[in-house]
Amino acid sequence: MRPAKGSLELVCPAGTPAALDAAVAAGADTVYCGFNDETNARNFPGLNFSRAELADSIARAHARGCNVLVAINTFPRAGDIDLWHRAIADAEAAGADAVILADLGLLAHAREKHPNLRLHLSVQAAAANPDAIQFYVKQFGVERVVLPRVVTVEEIAAIHREITCETEVFVFGGLCVMAEGRCLLSSYATGKSPNMHGACSPAGCISYREEGSTFVSRLGEFTINRVTKGEPAAYPTLCKGRFVIDGKATHVFEDPASLDASQLLPGLKAAGVKALKIEGRQRSRAYADAVVKAFRQAVDALDRGLEIRAGALAALTEGGATTGGAYRKTWR
């Protein structure tokens, strides 16, 4: 199931072995996942892979021609670096096709201690220009960079003219108002850094209560949202909270909407993009199945010169709304 020459590679999320199997069956070329600890940036209870689960899942994926990438994309804490070093070694031992890293020290360690392991640069590194990208390529042998969701299609094309590695871009899923997950809002509210503990708005810091006919969600000591009974209640992240401004409750930082770049695939391919990344390791097996199938159809349609269907995933978006994000930057 590896992409045909000239075709865009479809990189899909898996938060559990079941979701990995669903993504592979739905048409993923590559799946990315992480260990069930603080080494990956989706460290939520009940998600991710034990060492044994990862090895077994990689074997099943490889049997169907699908690559597996392991995200070790948080930043190690001082005095506890061994956890991250073991993750890199265990990913290689399990047969991972590449590891996704963000920390400079981990990149240096992987290059020195695991010279045969393919390295991808995480979006957490926020490398958004040719000089930064080439630094990682020359210093650590990085073979692919996941570009931040702050560049336009035209800027991606300009980047490609000056770099010597592959690029991967997000095409569907959640957006973040911070510098690619470096959430100071969540850190302030919870005392835990998403980039070091692996979870934005961790479940242990969330509480809910009813106040009459109103359902209230809180993150740490902060009220994030109030909804009436029957109204959809999103997971309480600060960036998508509703706050009262001039007497009116509104989304101050970010409206609830999902990135959907399916209609931009021709431009992304022409710009030189190698791989398309779907966000959502914290989402269900059903989500993985539906989103991967939709983008498999979109990539196949692009390869055949057919029209890409619009709005196929509206039911799986935040707030029922989609955006082209920074790829179009209509506010400029």
Side-chain angles (χ1 to χ4, degrees):
M1 200 176 291
R2 300 178 195 275
K5 185 177 181 180
S7 182
L8 290 165
E9 179 182 339
L10 191 55
V11 182
C12 307
T16 63
L20 182 145
D21 292 339
V24 173
D29 298 308
T30 300
V31 175
Y32 68 101
C33 54
F35 290 119
N36 53 1
D37 56 34
E38 298 174 29
T39 62
N40 90 88
R42 286 294 182 270
N43 181 30
F44 289 99
L47 284 184
N48 302 307
F49 293 67
S50 68
R51 268 53 177 174
E53 287 172 336
L54 182 69
D56 290 344
S57 296
I58 289 176
R60 292 196 305 274
H62 284 175
R64 300 191 63 171
C66 184
N67 293 324
V68 178
L69 316 178
V70 178
I72 307 171
N73 57 343
T74 50
F75 295 84
R77 296 187 309 278
D80 200 17
I81 191 69
D82 287 348
L83 177 65
W84 280 262
H85 287 176
R86 288 198 304 272
I88 294 172
D90 291 346
E92 183 176 39
D97 295 284
V99 290
I100 308 170
L101 305 176
D103 182 74
L104 288 166
L106 290 182
L107 285 160
H109 171 83
R111 177 72 182 272
E112 179 184 356
K113 301 295 185 181
H114 305 275
N116 297 320
L117 182 60
R118 180 179 167 100
L119 305 182
H120 290 189
L121 186 66
S122 170
V123 70
Q124 297 283 330
N129 62 73
D131 288 346
I133 293 168
Q134 283 301 103
F135 169 81
Y136 288 101
V137 172
K138 292 177 181 178
Q139 293 296 318
F140 309 115
V142 164
E143 296 185 56
R144 178 181 295 179
V145 58
V146 184
L147 291 175
R149 285 160 281 193
V150 297
V151 291
T152 65
V153 175
E154 292 76 15
E155 288 165 341
I156 293 172
I159 287 170
H160 261 281
R161 291 193 287 269
E162 299 184 48
I163 65 172
T164 56
C165 69
E166 299 172 353
T167 60
E168 180 175 307
V169 300
F170 282 92
V171 291
F172 190 84
L175 293 168
C176 180
V177 296
M178 293 296 174
E180 292 303 338
R182 301 185 185 191
C183 190
L184 300 181
L185 290 174
S186 180
S187 297
Y188 179 76
T190 68
K192 293 186 176 183
S193 164
N195 300 91
M196 297 179 72
H197 295 88
C200 173
S201 305
C205 299
I206 289 172
S207 61
Y208 301 95
R209 68 171 182 263
E210 287 187 324
E211 296 181 357
S213 62
T214 303
F215 185 71
V216 180
S217 57
R218 292 173 63 84
L219 179 65
E221 298 300 317
F222 297 89
T223 297
I224 302 302
N225 208 348
R226 295 174 182 269
V227 298
T228 57
K229 288 185 178 179
E231 184 182 357
Y235 189 84
T237 58
L238 258 174
C239 59
K240 294 183 176 65
R242 286 195 296 188
F243 304 96
V244 177
I245 304 293
D246 292 333
K248 180 181 178 181
T250 185
H251 295 281
V252 176
F253 298 105
E254 181 182 357
D255 288 330
S258 292
L259 172 68
D260 184 354
S262 57
Q263 298 302 297
L264 302 178
L265 297 192
L268 291 170
K269 183 176 182 180
V273 167
K274 169 69 175 179
L276 308 174
K277 188 166 196 168
I278 297 169
E279 188 271 342
R281 279 189 288 146
Q282 73 277 27
R283 303 292 291 271
S284 68
R285 176 175 56 183
Y287 170 92
D289 177 73
V291 177
V292 175
K293 282 180 178 176
F295 271 89
R296 178 78 275 154
Q297 292 172 0
V299 171
D300 290 348
L302 178 63
D303 289 343
R304 296 195 297 269
L306 303 176
E307 183 179 357
I308 296 172
R309 180 187 170 197
L313 295 169
L316 295 175
T317 60
E318 293 187 74
T322 62
T323 174
Y327 291 133
R328 283 177 168 154
K329 284 188 181 171
T330 54
W331 60 86
R332 277 191 174 177

